Amino acid sequence: MRMMQCAVALLLLVVVKQGRCGNEFEQSYRIETEEPGAHDVAGRPISFEQQIKPILEQRCVVCHSCYDAPCQLKLTAPEGLARGASKAKVYDGERLTPAVHTRLFMDAQTTEQWRQLGFFPVLNDAPVGSQAPDKPNLLAAMLALKREQLFPVSGKLPDSFKFELDRDLECPKPEEFDAFRAQHPDWGMPYGFPGLSGQQRRLVNAWIEQGAKMESRPEPDAQTQRLIAVWEDFLNQPGLKHRLTARYLYEHLFLGHLYFEQAAANRFFTLVRSKTAPGEALQEIVTDLPYQNPGVERVYYRLKPVTETIVDKTHFVYALSDSRLEKIRRWFIDAPYTVDALPGYAEKRATNPFLTYAAIPVDARYRFLLDEAAYFIAGFIKGPVCRGQIALNAIQDRFWVMFVSPDFDYSGRGSQFLANHSEILSLPAAEGENISSLGWYDYDTLAQQYLQDKENFVAAVLQARQRGLDETDIWDGDRSNRNAALTVFRHFDSATVVKGFVGSVPKTAWVIDYPLLERLHYLLVAGFDVYGTLWHQLATRKYMDYLRMDGENNFLRFMPARQREAIHAIWYAGILPEMSKLMAQPLFGIQQESGVKYRSQGHQAEFLHKVARRLDRAAGAGDAINGCLFADCSTHRLQDIAPGVLQPLRQLTAISGTPLQTLPETAFLRIKADDEGQDDSVFTLLVDRDLKNLSTLFVEDLRHNPKRDKLTVVSGFLGSYPNVFFYVAQRDLPKFVADLAACNSDRQREAFYAAYAIRRTHPHFWAYFDWFNQRYQRQAGLEAGLFDLNRYDNR
């Protein structure tokens, strides 16, 4: 037996050679052998919080979280382990009736309730020692299955592994596991990655054998409880003004992670509706959408601790502070208006914020949204779904966002204009699940009518002040608020929003006003149901077209009137007029001349430079890699980039077209410092796919023009779903750039990945992954969460 163990140890001693297209270096990797009694954990109590939870977070949660957790096995909390898995799909683009909601913590509270909803155990429901022998513990069995097969240590994984997001999942129940093992012997967990270490596996098995016990969570400390009391007291004042304000705040903050600036770090809360008042045990009111009837006479708004592991794809934060509370009081409570009666929850009204909150001044609502605009834009990116291709299919791969100044007459005639058009501004949610393809024509008509009426309104305002729109009509962030300028990156079916103008001048840009910002939130956050029907999802995509065009039209009003059609034609090249009246014949203020004083023929770039100068540092610190909007970019922030790195990265951004097909949507590049005393650096490589137009819901490849693709390089991390990790020594960075630029064939791409990529099969994959997560935590602090590996490529 001893000789066999030694032989196995020799067979598993591997040397991974990386070279061919890049630098050569060797890494020795020895898979741990099972020595009898090594790291023995038998008989010692195992703590879930201290020993098991870190293993689940580092190796399991990174795929099993949010709605896209395979088999709905959500491992971000003990309750998800107890709930187990399900064969039912959350994402189903063909269903004609709504799916049963299965939100963890909300739609069922006990294991038995989850079993009634079709979930089956991955841990033993039965007491320790009483589990039937033909029903294995799935968690232990899946980990053991991984150990039964030798996992490759180089190259791509074979076709027997399936990684498509829309693949048919195998979700075996305990009694089906033997058949699953026979059919898919190499599908042990972690799926498609190296397995757990021997010590990790022994800890998990010992914990399961001890009954899989989980400790109770600690209560918030005294300081945090005092801060909770302050905010809950404000949110639950009896006056009508306070109650309407609290409802508005809840419908806009319900999905984010709230934290107290004055309290201990890493404690987050969600704002919920409760049947019980502050001081009593919280009884959350659960509805499918936040504006639906709570079913009680008096709603109380409470702060509920977030007990799940923080994953980046659902993590967007909102600070609760004394200064923020003072702003909210000034905007919503001290403002001179009255609330005569609280609005009801009838669907037609509740889905329309312009009706529901008509009593609150538009100026108050807009300034509240502007103050943390990145949070609200992130809502439709990180909010109700983890996979959003239907909505994100309606935007370009990268664009800049700016906002109409709140001083642009929204306190006067703007309020009356919105009140007069509240019915036209209704969203698809008002139709519930009854909307069908026939409803799209109605929305075409309503959208065109709104844009025409808006055009008349803007024309009247400009005529009254006797000048066209110019850069002073863009909100400057009060000279300090970084939310004034944003960049949105789309990664096919996910996206990221960051503060500042990032990258070179983009193909398109949006100017967002209050009605557009509010509709974005109610369409894609408050009003979107991931469990909804095909028609609900398609209507959302259709309406998103109108919102995008509204933002683009706002931007075009700043361009010279004679150039607007030509600019628009570039954005919508090759579109057929019969596909959409709005896309083919947009309304973009063709009769109202811009007030911007142009000095060049590059009007779009010149205007964006003017805005960047007006916003100053609110537009960002300047981009020294991709292209500069400021005169001092050449020296600014260079202390963050190691000598010898900047120039190759600039050369990297000059690569375009065919070679970029080598790269996925999002790649993390770790550069090993030449100096042993210097820390490694990290950059994100983002491919900006050039789309001829955004006219169709599907077949995006037909609209893709790969010859015009570009690359944006960002210092640090951007994106929740890395598709690949690259690891390059600093001295080899110029060769990395040259090799990428030369990649024009499958053979060259294979050589490139063999030289530089950390593939799924890399023996040290988890060490690299842990390094990236730890560095991200150090970089982003409270805004950081665990990266997701569901989209990691097999190249």
Side-chain angles (χ1 to χ4, degrees):
M1 182 67 181
R2 180 72 179 177
M3 291 179 62
M4 183 178 293
Q5 289 174 339
C6 292
V8 171
L10 288 173
L11 286 172
L12 296 180
L13 183 62
V14 298
V15 176
V16 180
K17 286 184 176 292
Q18 302 206 11
R20 289 195 290 177
C21 193
N23 62 302
E24 291 194 9
F25 62 94
E26 294 187 352
Q27 293 183 335
S28 294
Y29 173 66
R30 184 175 183 275
I31 297 178
E32 178 187 10
T33 57
E34 295 290 343
E35 294 293 341
H39 308 288
D40 188 19
V41 297
R44 292 187 296 171
I46 306 299
S47 165
F48 176 81
E49 286 291 326
Q50 299 300 317
Q51 294 167 283
I52 303 304
K53 183 180 177 182
I55 297 173
L56 295 179
E57 289 181 338
Q58 295 161 14
R59 303 294 179 261
C60 307
V61 166
V62 292
C63 285
H64 286 273
S65 57
C66 197
Y67 297 114
D68 57 358
C71 304
Q72 294 199 61
L73 178 56
K74 192 174 182 184
L75 300 178
T76 50
E79 291 84 351
L81 263 172
R83 177 178 78 165
S86 171
K87 294 178 181 290
K89 290 182 178 181
V90 173
Y91 297 100
D92 184 353
E94 299 178 359
R95 62 173 167 243
L96 301 180
T97 58
V100 175
H101 285 63
T102 54
R103 296 164 295 179
L104 191 62
F105 300 110
M106 299 178 69
D107 297 310
Q109 303 301 322
T110 67
T111 301
E112 179 56 33
Q113 289 172 344
W114 287 119
R115 298 293 171 263
Q116 293 173 2
L117 289 174
F119 283 77
F120 51 86
V122 297
L123 297 173
N124 294 340
D125 282 344
V128 179
S130 64
Q131 185 75 1
D134 61 336
K135 290 187 177 182
N137 184 296
L138 274 180
L139 179 61
M142 285 293 188
L143 296 178
L145 180 60
K146 187 74 175 187
R147 190 67 182 178
E148 292 175 7
Q149 300 291 323
L150 289 179
F151 191 72
V153 293
S154 64
K156 296 189 292 185
L157 286 170
D159 292 341
S160 58
F161 287 89
K162 307 299 180 184
F163 297 111
E164 300 83 2
L165 284 177
D166 59 351
R167 67 187 185 273
D168 290 330
L169 294 172
E170 297 280 347
C171 303
K173 294 181 177 181
E175 60 270 22
E176 299 167 342
F177 178 75
D178 287 343
F180 171 84
R181 178 172 55 187
Q183 187 175 1
H184 303 292
D186 53 355
W187 282 17
M189 297 296 158
Y191 177 78
F193 289 108
L196 303 186
S197 70
Q199 178 70 356
Q200 290 172 328
R201 193 176 60 260
R202 281 188 289 272
L203 282 169
V204 173
N205 286 335
W207 172 71
I208 291 172
E209 290 170 2
Q210 293 174 15
K213 298 176 182 177
M214 306 176 195
E215 300 95 312
S216 60
R217 301 183 180 93
E219 294 292 325
D221 58 53
Q223 181 190 18
T224 302
Q225 290 183 10
R226 286 193 294 270
L227 294 169
I228 291 173
V230 169
W231 277 85
E232 288 189 347
D233 177 71
F234 171 77
L235 291 167
N236 294 289
Q237 290 290 315
L240 296 185
K241 206 183 243 190
H242 272 90
R243 291 177 66 179
L244 187 60
T245 295
R247 177 173 168 179
Y248 183 83
L249 296 179
Y250 164 71
E251 290 185 11
H252 289 77
L253 299 177
F254 74 99
L255 211 52
H257 290 160
L258 284 53
Y259 71 96
F260 296 105
E261 287 186 345
Q262 306 99 310
N266 295 321
R267 286 303 300 258
F268 298 101
F269 300 84
T270 55
L271 185 58
V272 301
R273 297 189 292 185
S274 175
K275 298 176 182 178
T276 52
E280 302 177 36
L282 192 152
Q283 294 183 27
E284 184 174 357
I285 298 169
V286 176
T287 54
D288 292 344
L289 299 169
Y291 48 67
Q292 290 176 333
N293 195 328
V296 295
E297 184 176 348
R298 174 67 197 271
V299 172
Y300 297 95
Y301 298 94
R302 307 284 299 277
L303 289 168
K304 176 183 175 182
V306 173
T307 56
E308 293 187 83
T309 296
I310 299 299
V311 293
D312 196 67
K313 61 184 175 182
T314 59
H315 185 53
F316 58 118
V317 301
Y318 189 89
L320 302 178
S321 62
D322 292 342
S323 60
R324 173 143 288 147
L325 186 58
E326 172 55 34
K327 286 181 181 178
I328 291 173
R329 288 184 190 276
R330 183 170 72 251
W331 292 329
F332 290 91
I333 305 302
D334 298 339
Y337 71 97
T338 59
V339 178
D340 298 324
L342 293 176
Y345 289 92
E347 191 169 57
K348 287 285 188 181
R349 183 183 186 94
T351 58
N352 191 329
F354 307 107
L355 282 174
T356 304
Y357 301 107
I360 300 177
V362 170
D363 184 69
R365 288 179 263 163
Y366 191 31
R367 290 185 186 277
F368 167 75
L369 297 177
L370 285 178
D371 197 46
E372 286 292 345
Y375 169 89
F376 294 107
I377 299 295
F380 81 80
I381 291 169
K382 291 190 171 186
V385 295
C386 307
R387 191 186 306 172
Q389 190 206 353
I390 283 187
L392 297 176
N393 181 265
I395 63 176
Q396 293 283 352
D397 259 27
R398 180 175 63 90
F399 58 95
W400 290 352
V401 174
M402 60 216 88
F403 300 89
V404 173
S405 169
D407 297 324
F408 185 68
D409 202 51
Y410 274 132
S411 60
R413 284 181 292 175
S415 299
Q416 188 59 50
F417 172 75
L418 291 177
N420 293 341
H421 292 79
S422 58
E423 292 292 344
I424 291 178
L425 289 170
S426 63
L427 284 88
E431 305 297 330
E433 292 294 347
N434 298 319
I435 192 168
S436 69
S437 59
L438 296 177
W440 296 352
Y441 297 102
D442 294 334
Y443 281 109
D444 259 332
T445 302
L446 289 173
Q448 193 165 30
Q449 182 180 346
Y450 168 71
L451 290 179
Q452 179 63 69
D453 291 350
K454 178 181 175 180
E455 193 65 37
N456 296 336
F457 167 73
V458 172
V461 172
L462 297 179
Q463 185 177 11
R465 71 177 193 176
Q466 298 183 338
R467 67 178 178 87
L469 293 169
D470 60 30
E471 61 270 25
T472 65
D473 293 306
I474 298 295
W475 180 53
D476 66 357
D478 303 320
R479 307 299 294 173
S480 61
N481 192 325
R482 289 286 312 282
N483 288 276
L486 306 176
T487 302
V488 175
F489 290 87
R490 189 192 76 138
H491 323 295
F492 185 61
D493 66 350
S494 67
T496 306
V497 57
V498 294
K499 295 175 183 176
F501 290 151
V502 179
S504 59
V505 173
K507 181 178 181 178
T508 62
W510 293 14
V511 175
I512 293 180
D513 52 24
Y514 166 69
L516 178 53
L517 187 54
E518 195 76 273
R519 285 185 294 161
L520 279 168
H521 177 78
Y522 275 84
L523 176 73
L524 299 172
V525 183
F528 186 79
D529 186 359
V530 69
Y531 296 94
T533 64
L534 166 67
W535 301 122
H536 170 75
Q537 297 182 52
L538 293 181
T540 299
R541 166 58 168 85
K542 184 68 173 177
Y543 201 91
M544 185 63 193
D545 274 333
Y546 311 143
L547 301 190
R548 181 196 68 249
M549 287 184 285
D550 197 359
E552 290 174 342
N553 291 347
N554 286 342
F555 176 77
L556 286 171
R557 289 190 182 92
F558 291 88
M559 299 295 101
R562 68 183 184 281
Q563 295 296 324
R564 291 172 191 164
E565 287 190 81
I567 294 172
H568 185 272
I570 294 174
W571 295 351
Y572 293 93
I575 192 170
L576 299 176
E578 59 269 21
M579 294 185 70
S580 172
K581 294 178 291 184
L582 290 177
M583 291 182 187
Q585 299 175 335
L587 297 162
F588 38 70
I590 197 69
Q591 302 302 320
Q592 298 296 321
E593 185 56 79
S594 168
V596 179
K597 307 300 182 184
Y598 287 102
R599 293 183 172 84
S600 72
Q601 295 302 307
H603 302 108
Q604 186 167 327
E606 183 178 348
F607 174 70
L608 291 171
H609 278 74
K610 287 177 180 289
V611 171
R613 286 194 295 270
R614 168 174 163 77
L615 271 55
D616 195 40
R617 292 311 182 196
D623 190 334
I625 300 175
N626 301 281
C628 192
L629 291 174
F630 301 100
D632 61 347
C633 248
S634 58
T635 58
H636 191 74
R637 286 192 64 200
L638 294 192
Q639 68 273 14
D640 297 336
I641 303 178
V645 171
L646 180 62
Q647 189 58 34
L649 292 180
R650 285 175 169 168
Q651 294 170 350
L652 195 59
T653 65
I655 299 174
S656 62
T658 302
L660 294 185
Q661 295 181 41
T662 304
L663 298 179
E665 299 272 350
T666 306
F668 291 167
L669 169 63
R670 177 181 173 182
I671 302 175
K672 185 181 186 301
D674 289 341
D675 184 352
E676 291 297 329
Q678 189 177 358
D679 203 0
D680 292 357
S681 55
V682 60
F683 297 85
T684 303
L685 313 183
L686 299 143
V687 176
D688 300 335
R689 288 161 54 92
D690 183 81
L691 301 176
K692 299 175 185 177
N693 60 68
L694 300 169
S695 59
T696 57
L697 279 66
F698 310 108
V699 292
E700 182 172 306
D701 287 345
L702 296 180
R703 298 184 284 112
H704 179 210
N705 184 9
K707 293 181 179 180
R708 297 179 64 88
D709 287 351
K710 295 181 179 179
L711 186 68
T712 300
V713 179
V714 178
S715 179
F717 295 94
L718 194 151
S720 303
Y721 305 88
N723 301 124
V724 71
F725 302 144
F726 291 116
Y727 183 55
V728 181
Q730 182 178 321
R731 64 179 176 274
D732 295 317
L733 189 58
K735 183 166 176 52
F736 172 84
V737 176
D739 288 343
L740 177 61
C743 280
N744 290 297
S745 68
D746 290 342
R747 181 185 59 80
Q748 291 170 315
R749 294 184 186 108
E750 166 60 27
F752 183 81
Y753 273 77
Y756 302 111
I758 307 301
R759 283 171 153 160
R760 284 173 169 265
T761 55
H762 196 294
H764 296 302
F765 178 87
W766 291 119
Y768 283 99
F769 180 66
D770 291 342
W771 185 90
F772 281 116
N773 272 308
Q774 291 162 8
R775 175 59 67 88
Y776 183 44
Q777 183 69 49
R778 195 171 83 188
Q779 171 191 306
L782 287 175
E783 296 186 7
L786 292 174
F787 293 121
D788 190 276
L789 293 177
N790 271 302
R791 292 163 175 77
Y792 203 85
D793 278 357
N794 180 37
R795 296 198 185 200

